[in-house]
């Protein structure tokens, strides 16, 4: 069954460029994963520093592969100092 993940991320003021460099690479790499239908980054137009990742996968196995990938773990490590609160993650 297809899986959709929506992850909301809030970035510290002045750290958005650092985040975007990392996020653009994450999007590029994730979109090449087997089982990834789409992996997109969106910026909140009405609230500074707020971003949303929209992810679609063919099934939960593809989600697990993404979540266990080296690039995912490195991305989380790299952005953790840049975020101002716990991300909100919804899985459908």
């Amino acid at each position: 069954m297809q899986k959709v993940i929506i992850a909301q991320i809030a970035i510290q003021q002045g750290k958005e460029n650092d985040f975007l460099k990392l996020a653009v690479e994450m999007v590029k790499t994730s979109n090449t994963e087997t089982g990834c239908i789409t992996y997109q980054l969106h910026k909140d137009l009405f609230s500074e520093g707020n971003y949303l990742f929209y992810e679609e996968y063919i099934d939960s196995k593809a989600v697990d592969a993404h979540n266990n990938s080296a690039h995912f773990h490195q991305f989380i490590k790299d952005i953790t100092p840049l975020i101002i609160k716990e991300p909100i993650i919804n899985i459908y």
Side-chain angles (χ1 to χ4, degrees), residues 3 14 16 22 37 40 45 61 71:
K3 296 290 182 187
E16 288 186 67
L22 297 166
I37 297 168
Q40 304 170 18
L45 298 177
K61 186 176 177 181
H71 66 271

Side-chain angles (χ1 to χ4, degrees), residues 2 7-10 14-15 20 23-24 27 30 32 39 51 61 70-71 74 85 89:
Q2 186 174 329
Q8 299 173 52
I9 310 288
K15 298 292 185 178
L20 287 172
V24 165
V27 168
S30 296
T32 66
Y39 197 101
Y51 292 85
K61 186 176 177 181
H71 66 271
Q74 186 63 50
K85 62 182 179 181
I89 300 170

Side-chain angles (χ1 to χ4, degrees), residues 47-90:
S47 184
E48 283 297 315
N50 289 315
Y51 292 85
L52 179 142
F53 285 100
Y54 177 83
E55 311 167 33
E56 284 185 57
Y57 299 92
I58 59 171
D59 57 20
S60 58
K61 186 176 177 181
V63 172
D64 291 342
H66 169 74
N67 289 341
N68 290 313
S69 68
H71 66 271
F72 176 77
H73 286 279
Q74 186 63 50
F75 178 71
I76 297 302
K77 180 181 174 185
D78 291 343
I79 69 161
T80 297
L82 307 177
I83 61 177
I84 58 175
K85 62 182 179 181
E86 189 73 23
I88 299 169
I89 300 170
N90 293 302

